[in-house]
Amino acid sequence: PEMIARTANDEDVDAVGVSIMSGAHLTLLPRIVEQMSEQGLSDVPVFCGGVIPEKDIQPLKDRGVKAVYTPGTSIEDICNWLKANV
């Protein structure tokens, strides 16, 4: 998470997208959001995709993740979200 936040800051990104297949989403994603906020990047949306159970989506959003995409989500849906939110 620290490296992602530092790179986001260094590269002046508009958004951070993370694909997580390990099951560590409830640990890693909130930490990325925290680290980004500490670096003054709280306005940069963090979104994710991967094998994320439905029951974990709201807790991630409650901790600052702006969008969560599960398997089967179309690239078009993700691009439309990016266009609307970045």
Side-chain angles (χ1 to χ4, degrees):
E2 293 80 8
M3 290 176 63
I4 291 171
R6 186 174 37 250
T7 301
N9 192 21
D10 291 347
E11 299 297 327
D12 192 31
V13 300
D14 295 317
V16 171
V18 181
S19 176
I20 295 187
M21 305 298 273
S22 68
H25 50 275
L26 288 175
T27 302
L28 294 175
L29 287 163
R31 186 77 181 132
I32 290 168
V33 171
E34 288 171 13
Q35 288 289 311
M36 289 180 60
S37 181
E38 288 175 12
Q39 294 194 33
L41 301 173
S42 57
D43 60 328
V44 175
V46 175
F47 66 102
C48 69
V51 181
I52 299 172
E54 194 73 31
K55 68 179 179 59
D56 292 345
I57 293 173
Q58 192 58 52
L60 287 171
K61 289 183 175 182
D62 291 344
R63 305 244 352 243
V65 176
K66 299 299 181 192
V68 179
Y69 297 101
T70 56
T73 302
S74 72
I75 295 295
E76 181 179 9
D77 288 345
I78 297 168
C79 289
N80 287 338
W81 182 85
L82 280 167
K83 288 177 189 175
N85 291 280
V86 175

